[in-house]
Amino acid sequence: MRSAALAFDDESTRQGFDDVLHHFLTVLERVLPHEDGLDHVGDAGRWGLLHPHPPP
């Protein structure tokens, strides 16, 4: 998964991906307590793996 995220050579493309993923995960966090959102918990975990954390 990490190699997929690092495949974005262009920093602006990578930033766009990070922004969209951040928005998606923020929205997902708001709906997960809802019963219909529980079907997407596994997807959220996999998609979250694509969102790398900056080095310390």
Side-chain angles (χ1 to χ4, degrees), residues 2-4 6 12-14 19 21 23 25-28 31-32 35 37-39 44-47 50-51 56:
R2 181 166 170 74
S3 63
L6 295 174
S12 65
T13 302
R14 174 65 179 275
D19 292 343
L21 183 61
H23 178 73
L25 293 175
T26 300
V27 170
L28 189 64
V31 300
L32 277 181
E35 183 179 345
L38 295 177
D39 291 338
R46 287 187 289 279
W47 293 328
L50 289 174
H51 191 38

